[in-house]
Structures are given as C-alpha cells and as structure tokens.
C-alpha cells in the first residue's frame, strides 16, 4: 500500500465497531479518503470509549469485534485500494480494575514479578511504608473508613484458584506466600493439606513455579468439593467483625500493594502515570523486552498486511522518543518491503519544529491546526479584545502569566509525586560525590520546580545524557528565568542541576582519593552531543554504561517526563480554561498570546512542511477543545472586536437577574464574570446555523451539550471548583444560570439577541470554514479528516466531540454537484462536504501535486489585496492555483459567505509565468479560466460563485 493521500480518523468503541466501520466503507471510499485512521485497536478497559486505557497489548479488542472483524475490515479496505492506520499507545496502560494481567502480576509478586520492570515503579521509595510496594490509590475514602465499612473484601476465584482483595471494580491478588496461612486459618484438615505446597514459598521465580503447582491442586480440590470450604477462610478475614477485620488489615499490610485513598496519589504515587491520571500507568517501552511485548500484536498485524502504518500516541511520554522511533522503524522495515508510515502525536511550541533526526513521516497535525487557525484571526482585534478581557477579569496579564501560575499550582497540588521523583534522582547524584553531598534535597527540589515551571516547550531530547544545541536553545530559557526567580543562595544548586541535567558529562563515581574538593573544580565541561546524535549510537558496541551516566540519563528522562505532563496539565487543562480573550485561540497546540499568523508566516510554515510532506494536516481531532467550525466562527470576532465588546456588556446586563449570589463571599456570584464571558463565546461559537430560538427542543438539546462543556470547563479551570474537590453547589448554580438564560421564556430576550448575533457572524464564519478546508486540502502534507466533520463541526471538548456520526445524512448529501452550486444553501454544510470531496478527487487524480509539489506564494494587488491569500503548487507539468478570501467580514453585504464580485474592484492574482495562456479549471465551481492580460486573474472573475477557488491545469474527468 502506498503512503496516504488523505486519512479519516474513526473513534472506535463498543457502539461503533469494526463492522460498523465496514458498513460505511462505501461512503468513505466515495468521499475520497485513501486511509482509515483507527483509534487504538488493542484491548482496553471494558466499556472504554476511546481505547487509550490498554489492558492487553496482545489482543485486538473483543468489544470492537476482535481480530476477525479487524481482518474483515482490512480485507475490504484493501480491495478498494485503500489502507488502515492504527493509533497505538506505547506510553501507558490502563490499571486498576481487574483486567490488566501484567499489572495484577506485579501486585501479586511485587518486584519479583515477571512484569515488575515493565512499568516505571519505584521499588525503593523514600517512604518505608512503600518500599517494595505499589501504591493503589483507588479508594473512595480513607483506607480505615473503607475497611470498617466492609468495602474491602477478601475473595476467591475458583477458576484461577487465586485469593484476592476486591474494592468495587478493583482487584488486588494476594501473594501466594500467604496461601498457607490463609488455608490454615479455617482449621480444617483438607485445607491444611492443601496448604502444604505453599509452605515456605517465596517470591523468587523458582518458587513461583511451586505456587503454580499448589494452585493446580487447590483448583482440583474446588472442582471436587466446591467453594464452601474456602468460605471458612474468607470468613476468617471478614471485615464485618473487629477481630477478623484486623486480621484482614494485617494481611493487606504484608502485600506488595498498598491500598490508599485516591487523593494520596498526588503526593505519594510511586509509579509513573499518564499526566495526573492514576488509572494509567507508564510503561518502560525503552527496555528491549518490554518493547517487543508491547508491540507483538501490531508487528504481527503489520507483517500480515492488516495495518499499513501507525500513529504513535503521546510520544513525549517516552524516556527517549528518538530512540523509540528508530527502533520502531527498524522493526517495521524488517517485516515488510514497503517503507512504514509512522506519524507521532507531538505538541510543538511556537518556533519549535519536529526534530529532523526522528525517522517518522511527521506529526498528527496540531501544528497545522494552530497555523491555519491563527491565520483566520485579524491582528487588529488582538489589543481591543485583550482590553475587554482585562476589564472583565480585572486582570491585564498576558496568557503566559496565567500559564506560569497554573504550572506553579500543578506542581504544588497535582504533580507533587512526579516532582519528587526527579528531585530524588538528582539528589542521589549529589550524594555520589564528596564535593556535592551536602547539596540538600530541598535545594534541588526548589531548583527543579523553577526549571519545570519556566520550561518553554514540552520537553527536550538529550542524547546519551547530554543536551545538544537544540535542547540548550530551550533549556537555557528556563535556566535564565530560574536564575532571575530563585534566591541567590539557590544559584549554586541551580548550576549543579544544570550540569546533572545534561549540561556536562557525568562525573565518575567518587573514590577514596577524591578528597573533599568542590564539584566545580573537578568537573571539566564536555562538548554537548550533536543535535542529531542518537543515544543508541553514542557509545561503542557492547560498552557498559557507567553508573554515573546511567544516573544522569535516568534523571534527564524523569525531568522530561515531568515537563511534558506539566505543560499539558497547566496549559491545555488549566490556563486555557482561565484566560478568555478569544476562545478560538485556546486550543491544543496553540498559544493564545500568539494571536495571529500573517500570510507570509503561513506561507513560510507551509514551505517548511515540504521537508516532511507526509505529515498530517488536521483541523479537528478527538482531543480538540472546540470544533473546527466553532473556531472558524469565533475567529470572526477578531474582525468585529468593538461590536463584540459592546455585545458582551449588553448581554451581561441583560442576564444580570439570573446570576446566583454566593452567601459565603459577598463579592462572589455565580457563574462569575470570566465564566459568564466564556459561556457567551461558547454559545456564539456552537449555535447551529439552522436553529431557531423558538425551537424549544433544539435549544434544550444545545443547552444540555453546553452544560457538559461548562462543568468540565469550570473544573479544569480549578478556580472555584475542581476535579479533586468539586464545589457542587457552585456548579449547580452555574448550570441553573445557563438553563435560565436559554429558557423558552427568554426567546424574545436573550435567545433572540443570541440568535441575531450568530446570524450576524455566521456567514463570515462559514467563509472561514471554507478557507480553512481548502488550505488543509491543498497545503503540503496529508489532509486528515476527523469523523463527521465533512459537515458542520460545532462540537465542544470531549465527550461532545466524540458523539455518534449520522452517516446516513452524509451519504444522502454526497453527489457530484459543484460546491459553488451549493453555496446558496450554505447552512446545511453541503458546500463544505462537496469541497472536501472535490479536492480529495484532485488529490487522487494527481497525488504528488498537492502532497509534495513545489509551493510558491502568489502576489496579489489591487483595492482588496489584503483580503486574499493565494499560492501555487507545481509538480512537473501539473499546476494548482489556490485562492481564498481572507479576513473579509467587512466585505460581506448579504447573507451569503461570499464577497460580491464588484467589491473586488481591480484586485488580481499574479500567476507563475509557466501558466501563461493556460486554461485553468476550477475544481470547486467547474468554471474554466484562460490566463491572459499580463498573466493575472481578476478576483471578480475567479471568486464569482465561491469565496475559494482551486484552479488546475488538470480538468475534471
């Protein structure tokens, strides 16, 4: 299978399986995508709606239909000349519950489990109560409370012949070293006999085999005698009686796990999590044996031709992403002759690009989503909108200040354990040398916290324990900010930590001849590794790594595995819900302070994309905060900043009587000024174009959706409520405010005002949508469609953006009519669907032209030149000319998202000389244009029927 032309992302779950996808295959093929891009197919926690909580890497999810259904889908996909790309999660697994066999094994056998090194567990915790144990912070209340309430119970599985403790859905196996004691507690001869094989069993691997034999005998006994004798054992550890409850407690204290209240995880979790999600445990995929075990299924599916490529989730969670990508590509290349297709989910900060030495096709497209989104914003609106927000919030700080404050809070309240892990790794290095052994834990902790808080990107990618020049470009930003923020007494510790985090080659372990000299006298600066060097290639073959190098690499990995989740939690999941200048810039992968992209900036970014022409181009994902059409409409407010500011004030006054007063704080009311302002933006952004304010059922359905968003937004903001300690009274008042202002009796008041303002901006928003769609389809790279977004995408944050897709509606709307012919009925979004289909057809006709063809910005002149973006794509003798209307809300006269031809006046696009006298066919209107008169095209001719045009030397068949 060749590389993709266009992908379509499908979110699979028990309500939309492989067979459901197969049933829509004719539609997907007719739409024109070349590859289906599936959410994770491995077995996840039962009922998972996303698949990112894998519990079994070795089996295709039965809830999705199992491997047979996946192979049926693949066969039919390949019959049509299409392909499959699978999302894959190497960084973490779902834990808790009762379905992850690897995790259950380490709960049972501790550090001697065959899977003990599969997870990032700290078996040598500084807390004596956790040494050799795994914290299990899944209890709903304090351990003693839950134990006394009888919610922690000893049970027996007759099929597995296994004793275990159960708490709700969570299962923790009892170590077989306890089985002899357990069986003897019933004081029965038959059970005493069964206890014999377990006498003296230890956790050592050779004894685990003895335990297996003992279990076989126990299983045979239960098959003959039933489970009634075992009930005597369970009664001896029942939590209903103080004596037996104490016995159960002492049994639990001897296990390789420690049951704990879920709130303890923030401070005490001794294993790496995905962000701060305690149900997801980090996997040590950097180990060769773990890498092979984790990828066993996908390698087999790839070797068999079932899947054609991989999308790697959360690449920044891995210890060494570059080395992982190298190993993955090598293994896939060894399995099939065709080069593997690999893209990675990577959030890139402003000015950051995917490392050139990563052997992947590119990213999943958040960078493009940010660039095209920023292009839709008018720079003239930045300052007045910021002033309006400052007046509402009583705070004129830029977003960066909000993000820094959020980072400080995340480290203090959510990622304490992760910060502690990094600090202890660095403190151990300090203790190795006489010259640094008096460096205190507290001083290192303080330094690491500041470095992490000020880190400008998700993470760095050092090689073999040393930072390269690209790493230092970002690390030095945090270093300088920390120097300014830390007290003078901490600067010595900062210098040491700088070295231990890859600034210098590691110092050999101390010996008796080292004396007590200072570290700075004995450490010689080392040349940093080249930016492209790989950790796997930096040492001679079979050269054992020194203890000092291992320690430094460990500290660097832990630091990177702290900065990445800190950036995500503080920015994406906190600050973006606090700062609301314009919510269309509050998106994954975006920086609200980076308000806009100029056309030259956008062109420059597209030219850089040509270096990796197989990267994805996304405008919507399963993780977006707001749908692509919500953002496109809200971007119009940047062109109407003054009008929007006045509208906000008017609506706030209009709805003042619906606010709830908070009796606990005289100045507080619900929802509060910032939450209210964000709510109005959200309503404007997601109001369906065809919704009438008098449609009570339709308005109510919208209110229910927005209510889900509102609850998540308030908790993510972590200001007056949060996930850890929700203020349900405040949340209820906010919901009541929302439903009050959208109540049927408000149809002639706020509802009418809201619908009227939406009508004012909706056509300009639709124009933005068409421009965004065309740019995604014609920029260098591979356009990625998210399920259902070929019609309107007015979705909000998950789970709203993962709602079922009405494919019957989309099939019925699919025809061969030109998009321009559908513009008059633009509210039904058929014009968007037709645009997608036409440009996918052009990509099928000339795959290289739009994917990797040369890219050249085109000059525009005339009265309205500032409202046009244009560029050419060329591959051999094939040409495509892309022209779009840009920032034109002020040029729209009527209801259509189209600038009247006469408003363009003398505006024209200058074409490449090679197009002289050529006849260009517009794939979006079916019009033909012959290039004359100085090799230019007049906008009044080209954009007569649609605000965008894609002209090509290739005519439609």
């Amino acid at each position: 299978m060749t590389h993709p032309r266009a992908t379509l992302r499908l979110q699979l779950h028990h309500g939309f399986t492989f067979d459901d996808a197969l049933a829509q295959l004719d539609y997907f093929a007719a739409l024109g995508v070349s590859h289906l891009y599936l959410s994770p197919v491995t077995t996840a926690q039962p009922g998972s709606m996303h698949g990112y909580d894998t519990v079994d890497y070795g089996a295709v999810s039965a809830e999705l239909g199992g491997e047979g259904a996946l192979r049926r889908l693949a066969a039919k996909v390949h019959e049509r000349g299409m392909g499959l790309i699978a999302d894959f999660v190497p960084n973490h697994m779902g834990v808790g519950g009762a379905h992850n066999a690897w995790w259950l094994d380490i709960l049972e056998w501790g550090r001697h489990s065959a899977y003990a090194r599969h997870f990032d567990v700290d078996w040598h915790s500084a807390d004596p109560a956790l040494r050799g144990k795994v914290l299990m912070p899944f209890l709903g209340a304090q351990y003693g409370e839950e134990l006394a309430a009888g919610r922690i119970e000893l049970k027996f599985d007759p099929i597995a012949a296994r004793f275990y403790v159960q708490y709700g859905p969570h299962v923790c196996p009892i170590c077989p070293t306890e089985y002899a004691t357990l069986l003897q507690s019933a004081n029965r001869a038959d059970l005493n006999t069964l206890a014999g094989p377990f006498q003296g069993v230890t956790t050592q691997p050779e004894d685990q085999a003895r335990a297996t034999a003992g279990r076989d005998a126990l299983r045979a006994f239960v098959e003959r005698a039933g489970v009634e004798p075992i009930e005597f054992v369970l009664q001896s550890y029942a939590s209903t009686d103080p004596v037996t409850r104490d016995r159960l407690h002492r049994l639990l204290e001897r296990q390789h796990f420690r049951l704990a209240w879920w709130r303890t995880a923030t401070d005490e979790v001794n294993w790496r999590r995905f962000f701060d999600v305690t149900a997801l445990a980090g996997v040590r995929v950097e180990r060769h044996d773990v890498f092979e075990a984790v990828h066993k299924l996908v390698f087999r599916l790839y070797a068999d031709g079932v899947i054609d490529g991989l999308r790697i989730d959360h690449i920044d969670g891995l210890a060494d992403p570059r080395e992982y990508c190298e190993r993955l590509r090598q293994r896939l290349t060894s399995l099939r002759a065709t080069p593997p297709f690999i893209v990675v989910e990577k959030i890139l900060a402003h000015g950051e690009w995917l490392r050139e030495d990563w052997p992947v096709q590119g990213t999943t497209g958040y960078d493009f989503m940010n660039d095209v989104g920023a292009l839709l914003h008018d720079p003239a609106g930045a300052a007045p909108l910021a002033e309006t927000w400052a007046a509402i919030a009583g705070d004129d700080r830029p977003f960066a200040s909000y993000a820094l404050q959020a980072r400080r809070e995340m480290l203090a309240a959510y990622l304490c354990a992760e910060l502690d892990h990094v600090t202890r790794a660095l403190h151990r290095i300090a203790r190795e040398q006489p010259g640094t052994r008096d460096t205190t834990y507290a001083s290192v902790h303080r330094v690491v916290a500041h470095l992490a808080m000020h880190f400008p990107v998700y993470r760095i990618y050092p090689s073999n324990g040393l930072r390269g020049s690209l790493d230092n470009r970002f690390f030095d930003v945090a270093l300088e900010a920390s120097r300014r923020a830390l007290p003078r007494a901490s600067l010595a510790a900062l210098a040491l930590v700088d070295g231990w985090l890859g600034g210098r080659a590691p110092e050999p372990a101390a010996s008796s001849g080292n004396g007590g000299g200072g570290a700075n006298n004995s450490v010689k600066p080392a040349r940093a590794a080249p930016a492209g060097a790989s950790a796997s290639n930096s040492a001679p073959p079979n050269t054992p790594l020194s203890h000092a190098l291992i320690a430094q690499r460990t500290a660097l990995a832990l630091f990177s595995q702290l900065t990445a989740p800190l950036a995500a939690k503080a920015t994406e999941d906190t600050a973006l819900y606090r700062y609301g200048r314009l919510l269309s810039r509050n998106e994954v992968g975006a920086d609200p302070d980076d308000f806009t992209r100029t056309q030259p900036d956008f062109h420059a970014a597209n030219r850089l994309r040509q270096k990796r022409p197989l990267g994805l181009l996304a405008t919507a994902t399963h993780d977006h905060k707001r749908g692509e059409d919500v953002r496109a409409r809200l971007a119009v407010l940047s062109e109407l900043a003054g009008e929007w500011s006045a509208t906000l004030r008017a609506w706030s006054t209009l709805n003042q009587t619906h606010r709830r007063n908070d009796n606990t704080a005289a100045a507080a009311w619900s929802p509060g000024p910032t939450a209210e302002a964000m709510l109005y933006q959200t309503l404007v952004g997601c109001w369906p174009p065809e919704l009438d304010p008098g449609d009570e059922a339709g308005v109510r359905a919208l209110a229910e959706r927005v209510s889900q968003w509102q609850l998540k937004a308030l908790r993510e903001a972590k200001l007056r409520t949060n996930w850890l300690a929700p203020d349900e009274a405040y949340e209820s008042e906010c919901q009541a405010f929302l439903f009050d202002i959208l109540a049927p009796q408000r149809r002639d008041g706020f509802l009418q005002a809201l619908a009227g303002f939406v009508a004012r901006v909706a056509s300009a928003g639709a124009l933005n949508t068409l421009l965004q769609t065309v740019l995604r389809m014609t920029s260098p790279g591979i356009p990625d469609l998210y399920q259902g977004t070929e019609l309107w995408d007015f979705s909000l944050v998950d789970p709203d953006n993962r709602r079922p897709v009405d494919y019957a509606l989309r099939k019925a709307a699919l025809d061969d009519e030109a998009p321009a012919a559908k513009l008059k009925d633009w509210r039904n979004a058929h014009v968007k669907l037709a645009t997608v289909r036409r440009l996918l057809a052009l990509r099928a006709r000339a795959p290289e032209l739009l994917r990797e063809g040369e890219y050249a910005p085109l000059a525009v002149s005339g009265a309205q030149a500032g409202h046009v973006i244009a560029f050419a794509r060329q591959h051999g003798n094939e040409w495509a000319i892309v022209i779009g209307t840009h920032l034109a809300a002020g040029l729209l006269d009527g209801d259509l998202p189209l600038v009247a031809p006469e408003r363009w006046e003398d505006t024209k696009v200058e074409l490449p000389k090679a197009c002289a006298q050529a006849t260009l066919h517009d794939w979006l209107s079916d019009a033909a244009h012959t290039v004359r008169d100085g090799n230019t095209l007049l906008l009044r001719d080209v954009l007569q029927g649609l605000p965008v045009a894609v002209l090509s030397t290739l005519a439609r068949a």
Side-chain angles (χ1 to χ4, degrees), residues 161-378:
R162 172 177 281 123
F163 288 99
Y164 63 96
V165 167
Q166 183 160 15
Y167 174 81
H170 304 290
V171 164
C172 298
I174 298 297
C175 184
T177 58
E178 299 287 343
Y179 278 29
T181 301
L182 286 169
L183 292 167
Q184 290 168 347
S185 67
N187 199 24
R188 287 173 54 112
D190 49 2
L191 295 184
N192 288 342
T193 301
L194 290 169
F198 296 103
Q199 293 286 358
V201 165
T202 71
T203 58
Q204 295 296 327
E206 57 271 20
D207 276 5
Q208 291 183 32
R210 283 179 55 201
T212 299
R215 275 201 179 117
D216 290 341
L218 181 56
R219 184 183 302 104
F221 170 80
V222 171
E223 287 174 353
R224 293 192 310 272
V227 295
E228 185 177 351
I230 304 297
E231 291 296 329
F232 288 97
V233 175
L234 304 182
Q235 285 301 314
S236 298
Y237 291 84
S239 57
T240 52
D241 178 84
V243 174
T244 55
R245 181 165 63 242
D246 181 66
R247 186 179 295 142
L248 174 60
H249 165 65
R250 285 185 277 113
L251 172 67
L252 292 174
E253 290 292 276
R254 297 192 297 271
Q255 300 311 301
H256 301 294
F257 55 84
R258 179 186 148 202
L259 289 171
W261 188 20
W262 64 270
R263 289 192 178 182
T264 65
T266 294
D267 297 319
E268 296 189 339
V269 69
N270 63 335
W271 40 273
R272 182 170 63 88
R273 302 175 288 176
F274 170 74
F275 294 179
D276 62 343
V277 182
T278 308
L280 299 173
V283 177
R284 299 184 66 191
V285 76
E286 66 272 15
R287 289 177 52 86
H288 179 76
D289 57 334
V290 180
F291 178 88
E292 290 297 325
V294 163
H295 295 82
K296 183 178 180 180
L297 172 66
V298 294
F299 286 161
R300 178 164 57 81
L301 295 175
Y302 185 78
D304 291 351
V306 177
I307 60 175
D308 303 287
L310 291 174
R311 179 259 196 200
I312 304 302
D313 179 67
H314 190 48
I315 191 75
D316 277 340
L318 305 182
D320 190 335
R322 175 178 48 240
E323 189 174 46
Y324 171 83
C325 292
E326 289 171 349
R327 183 181 294 178
L328 180 64
R329 179 162 291 277
Q330 288 169 2
R331 286 290 282 112
L332 292 174
T333 300
S334 72
L335 298 174
R336 273 167 61 179
T338 54
F341 179 80
I342 306 169
V343 289
V344 294
E345 185 206 31
K346 167 66 184 150
I347 304 297
L348 296 163
H350 185 49
E352 182 187 17
W353 287 87
L354 187 65
R355 297 293 178 98
E356 292 182 2
D357 57 341
W358 288 18
V360 298
Q361 268 66 39
T363 73
T364 54
Y366 285 115
D367 47 327
F368 178 81
M369 187 162 80
N370 177 44
D371 288 343
V372 74
L375 179 71
L376 302 181
H377 287 73
D378 188 344

Side-chain angles (χ1 to χ4, degrees), residues 79-115:
E79 280 180 15
R80 288 169 168 77
M82 299 166 66
L84 286 183
I85 296 167
D87 198 342
F88 188 68
V89 191
N91 175 65
H92 53 265
M93 294 186 80
V95 296
H99 298 88
N100 189 326
W102 292 1
W103 187 255
L104 294 176
D105 199 73
I106 69 168
L107 298 183
E108 186 172 37
W109 293 106
R111 71 183 79 183
H112 292 132
S113 163
Y115 306 102

